[in-house]
Amino acid sequence: MTVQVTLLPATIPAHVQAEAPSRVREFNDDNSTAEGVRYTYSVKPSGSLVVMRQDSEGHRIETVFGPSAWEEVDGDVSGAIG
């Protein structure tokens, strides 16, 4: 499933907003060049949002958003502990 993260406006640099005005960042399974890729997320006790990528080689962290960078997330919650 796709993980969609809505960022807070103040966390997006002006030059990035000009190039891509959407506050939503997508990590889309369907757009991946590799087969069998799946994106999931978890929210840590600190409030950090971790987006993970699972493929034939296992799990790895795709990106991390600090607790004051994001306001909403939608997608599959990771089963990983931590």
Side-chain angles (χ1 to χ4, degrees):
M1 179 174 188
T2 299
V3 172
Q4 295 180 327
V5 180
T6 304
L7 300 176
L8 292 168
T11 64
I12 305 170
H15 71 281
V16 174
Q17 285 184 16
E19 294 171 10
S22 175
R23 294 189 304 132
V24 176
R25 299 297 181 259
E26 288 191 350
F27 302 87
N28 194 331
D29 303 346
D30 298 332
N31 290 344
S32 176
T33 56
E35 247 184 74
V37 172
R38 180 172 178 244
Y39 290 99
T40 59
Y41 73 90
S42 65
V43 178
K44 302 302 177 189
S46 67
S48 294
L49 172 65
V50 179
V51 177
M52 288 160 284
R53 174 188 167 120
Q54 179 182 354
D55 57 23
S56 61
E57 297 179 16
H59 278 86
R60 69 176 173 88
I61 294 174
E62 184 74 10
T63 193
V64 177
F65 296 99
S68 61
W70 65 281
E71 67 179 345
E72 185 177 7
V73 63
D74 185 37
D76 288 341
V77 177
S78 173
I81 306 280

